[in-house]
Amino acid sequence: MKTHTSAFKTAIKEYGRELDSIITYEHDTETIELGQEELNSLTPSYEGSILKSVMKQLIIDSNVEIPIDTEINFQFGVKVRDEDVEDYRDNYDYVSFGSYIVKETEMNEDTLSYTIKCYDKMLYSMKDYEALDITYPITIRNYINAVANKLGLTFKNANDTFPNYDKVINDELFLSRETNIVEEEGQEPREETTYTSLGYTYRDVLDQLAQVTASTICINEEDDELELRYINDTEDTIDEEYLKDTNVKFGDKYGKVNSIVLSRSGESDNIYLQNEESVETDGLCEIKIVDNQFMNFEDRSEYLPDILDQLDGLEYYINDFSSTGIVYYNLCDKYSVIRDNTTYDCIMFNDEILITQGLEENIHTNMPEDSETDYDKADKGEIKLNKALLLVNKQDNRIEALVQSVEAQEEGLGTLTNRVETNITSTEASINAIQNTLTNGVETLKNQLITIDAENGITVSTDQDVIKTIMNNYEFSIRNGETKLAYFGYDSEAGETKAEMDNLTVQEYFVTGYHRFEKFDVDNEQRTGVFYIGE
Amino acid sequence: MFVDKDSIIINGVNMGQYITEAKFSFNKLWSSDSGRNLAGTQSGTLIGIFPKLVLQFRKLTKTELERIVPILDSPRQTVSYYDPRKRDNETMQTYTGDYEITDKTIISGTKKNEGFSCSFIATKKRV
């Protein structure tokens, strides 16, 4: 919750409440304060959920223009006292909404006011991801700390333990990697690795880190630090006194969450971890995490226990209601609403506060998107059961297709490799790679019997066989080693087509030159004749 | 409140000598969010209290009226009055309402215009 007084909580719902808003910022070494005279309206808002990063927004209608990139601070107050004071604000209690950065400003010609759009410091993450100043391997916690430092932020949880905080990242995940041998005169050849963008932003990376840490990543309102925020049970209850008499909906209950699924390869490769007792009692409620780069390798099942620990049992009511104004709840606060003698446990994920001459607050929590995992085809760990799957290795620009039997030591493998372009987004790279394979074929395909390569074309032969069949654009031949047992093709040395074999059996006839050799019967006598047929 | 002859000063002019009656209104302005909440309880935001002063002028000579009218016609006035809540003289910026002057004879010499009233409404809420 935002820090607030009990007097604030009482006064905010009273008839005849009096409101105040303050925007402060520095401009040319001077502290500017905008109040009721300058501010026409303010609308702070955010849209969030678990397992993602959230950026808060503030839209101001002001008679005074604030320069772009200015850092402003916003406070909202309610009159709680009626004492004879010199400064009227001494009779008000305020809550802080934190700092915002001015991103856009537009003049309204009709009202001669300015519409100013601001965002909190999560705005700093809306830029292309670049290599961090770290060495691998590195823990998740230190990695997040490095990301925060790169954005000019302080990581609030730098010394805390949280889900998967100690898991290790072994190499760069969000840049394409190319290693070349560099040879310089007088020096030993050395490897040089260069990285190019895969189109990720730091915000994308934070979204994936939110999944790894089973949290919501946001900017803390009090100290502007990057925070891994978890559901905070405020134990606070509001009743119908805080609700408007229109647009009040409390619907289904979501949860209890009892299954976490990690999915990759076009959602064809799933592993999961469940609270099986809860699944039995309460029914399955899964959260599926798709294509997370941190949890994309052989160790991904190790991430599941911490995530399930954190989210197991999560439940809340879906809601959509307009309030006369609460204001002091924060993102991820759990609170209760009493309506018609029924208590609804809710979590604050989406909020919009309309501050004009009056106050209105619109709150809603949506049902998360349904995911359906075919658990018959999913695993509890990294054991592939007669699987065929595609793994997209974005960093090395490679797609690996694996077909592997359950007897893990058998190597009945077919592999294909192909190149992908390196200067496009990871999603485009995956799609283009598959399209490229479908359109242009592959350079090499091999299984137990057939090998396709650029040199010979199609070779049909097992590794144990001596006899093999070769087919390409100029020959079809059956060989014993290098000896041709049968050959049909074009002899480029002789410049002519040929058919060669040790034995040839013709059932009916064959033509050579101007003659035809053909079998026929005369008076039940079987004969073979040579007949002149001409041109 | 009209507590003494100097209680009402407008644009530096003491109105006490020109008026027969002063009416003080303290009007509440409510926001559009006012109404009843889901519990049926009245709720809403008070934008503020905007004082209003209605002065009933006595019959005025030509000279006296010529002194008053520029104040009444100005777009903004500075009004000082005694506020019973503050228990002190308060100053506010106001705008005026319409007013009418009735003459029942030719105004000259000691002849006077008929009495009339005019309102002075605060532009900002009382703090």
Side-chain angles (χ1 to χ4, degrees), chain A residues 229-375:
Chain A
R229 185 167 291 179
Y230 295 94
I231 306 298
N232 170 40
D233 191 348
T234 63
E235 297 181 0
D236 190 73
T237 302
I238 59 173
D239 57 19
E240 285 138 335
E241 299 276 352
Y242 290 87
L243 308 180
K244 288 178 74 94
D245 59 355
T246 56
N247 186 33
V248 175
K249 299 186 194 70
F250 290 89
D252 298 330
K253 187 187 255 194
Y254 171 74
K256 299 176 181 177
V257 172
N258 47 34
S259 177
I260 307 295
V261 178
L262 295 182
S263 180
R264 65 183 182 188
S265 307
E267 300 193 43
S268 64
D269 183 13
N270 302 312
I271 61 170
Y272 67 93
L273 187 63
Q274 292 180 341
N275 177 340
E276 290 174 10
E277 193 182 317
S278 174
V279 172
E280 187 77 29
T281 330
D282 306 310
L284 174 71
C285 179
E286 73 173 33
I287 290 178
K288 180 181 270 190
I289 298 171
V290 179
D291 288 338
N292 184 293
Q293 291 303 300
F294 296 99
M295 301 184 286
N296 195 37
F297 305 100
E298 297 299 313
D299 64 345
R300 60 185 178 140
S301 62
E302 296 172 19
Y303 289 79
L304 286 169
D306 278 8
I307 298 173
L308 183 64
D309 257 348
Q310 182 63 40
L311 299 177
D312 185 27
L314 174 67
E315 61 179 353
Y316 51 85
Y317 277 92
I318 307 305
N319 58 60
D320 185 356
F321 64 92
S322 292
S323 163
T324 56
I326 306 167
V327 177
Y328 56 82
Y329 286 142
N330 266 343
L331 172 67
C332 294
D333 276 348
K334 184 177 178 183
Y335 61 98
S336 300
V337 180
I338 297 178
R339 194 211 161 178
D340 290 340
N341 297 316
T342 303
T343 301
Y344 298 90
D345 290 329
C346 304
I347 297 178
M348 183 65 80
F349 282 131
N350 303 283
D351 190 24
E352 178 189 55
I353 302 173
L354 303 164
I355 303 169
T356 53
Q357 291 177 336
L359 175 66
E360 183 177 329
E361 187 168 0
N362 298 314
I363 295 167
H364 72 275
T365 303
N366 300 324
M367 179 69 78
E369 273 180 31
D370 257 341
S371 65
E372 285 181 18
T373 300
D374 186 346
Y375 284 86

Side-chain angles (χ1 to χ4, degrees), chain A residues 13-19 36-37 82 88 240-241 243-245 248 324 339 357-359, chain B residues 30-31 33-39 41-48 85-86 124-125 127:
Chain A
K13 67 179 173 72
E14 292 287 302
Y15 185 52
R17 63 192 177 189
E18 292 180 57
L19 311 175
Q36 296 178 359
E37 291 297 321
D82 197 15
Y88 77 93
E240 285 138 335
E241 299 276 352
L243 308 180
K244 288 178 74 94
D245 59 355
V248 175
T324 56
R339 194 211 161 178
Q357 291 177 336
L359 175 66
Chain B
W30 294 95
S31 167
D33 68 355
S34 300
R36 294 193 182 272
N37 60 31
L38 196 60
T41 307
Q42 193 77 6
S43 77
T45 305
L46 176 66
I47 296 171
R85 183 167 172 275
K86 299 285 188 176
K124 294 183 185 180
K125 67 181 182 183
V127 177

Side-chain angles (χ1 to χ4, degrees), chain A residues 74-87:
Chain A
F74 168 43
Q75 293 183 81
F76 174 78
V78 176
K79 189 175 184 180
V80 296
R81 285 173 291 277
D82 197 15
E83 293 167 2
D84 195 10
V85 292
E86 209 166 297
D87 184 347

Side-chain angles (χ1 to χ4, degrees), chain A residues 21-214:
Chain A
S21 298
I22 309 174
I23 297 279
T24 51
Y25 60 96
E26 300 290 319
H27 182 62
D28 288 339
T29 69
E30 194 185 337
T31 300
I32 310 284
E33 192 175 275
L34 305 181
Q36 296 178 359
E37 291 297 321
E38 296 82 20
L39 301 172
N40 301 317
S41 70
L42 300 106
T43 307
S45 65
Y46 55 81
E47 289 187 4
S49 75
I50 50 170
L51 308 186
K52 63 176 288 190
S53 64
V54 178
M55 184 163 68
K56 303 187 201 78
Q57 176 181 272
L58 174 64
I59 298 178
I60 307 169
D61 187 299
S62 165
N63 298 325
V64 173
E65 186 180 14
I66 307 175
I68 288 175
D69 293 332
T70 303
E71 181 178 330
I72 64 172
N73 186 274
F74 168 43
Q75 293 183 81
F76 174 78
V78 176
K79 189 175 184 180
V80 296
R81 285 173 291 277
D82 197 15
E83 293 167 2
D84 195 10
V85 292
E86 209 166 297
D87 184 347
Y88 77 93
R89 287 181 173 151
D90 291 337
N91 279 329
Y92 286 71
D93 279 355
Y94 292 86
V95 293
S96 173
F97 279 73
S99 298
Y100 293 83
I101 308 299
V102 175
K103 178 72 176 162
E104 291 172 26
T105 176
E106 182 185 348
M107 187 179 183
N108 305 309
E109 297 292 343
D110 52 344
T111 56
L112 298 180
S113 65
Y114 296 88
T115 300
I116 300 168
K117 202 176 270 191
C118 316
Y119 298 95
D120 70 8
K121 289 183 179 178
M122 187 62 73
L123 184 64
Y124 295 159
S125 71
M126 305 296 289
K127 60 183 182 181
D128 288 343
Y129 178 90
E130 295 173 346
L132 301 172
D133 187 19
I134 55 176
T135 50
Y136 293 93
I138 188 170
T139 63
I140 291 287
R141 184 170 64 187
N142 289 343
Y143 183 86
I144 300 175
N145 197 41
V147 170
N149 289 337
K150 186 80 171 181
L151 301 178
L153 300 170
T154 303
F155 180 33
K156 192 173 183 66
N157 308 92
N159 297 312
D160 297 340
T161 57
F162 47 82
N164 295 314
Y165 78 98
D166 55 348
K167 295 299 185 294
V168 173
I169 308 164
N170 290 306
D171 207 341
E172 175 61 65
L173 297 173
F174 298 100
L175 297 170
S176 172
R177 178 176 47 237
E178 194 173 324
T179 303
N180 298 305
I181 306 294
V182 177
E183 294 179 5
E184 290 175 358
E185 199 175 319
Q187 291 186 12
E188 293 284 325
R190 58 183 170 81
E191 278 189 357
E192 188 176 83
T193 302
T194 55
Y195 295 95
T196 51
S197 173
L198 281 171
Y200 286 102
T201 63
Y202 289 102
R203 183 82 189 271
D204 295 325
V205 175
L206 290 175
D207 279 342
Q208 298 203 16
L209 286 167
Q211 294 173 339
V212 172
T213 57

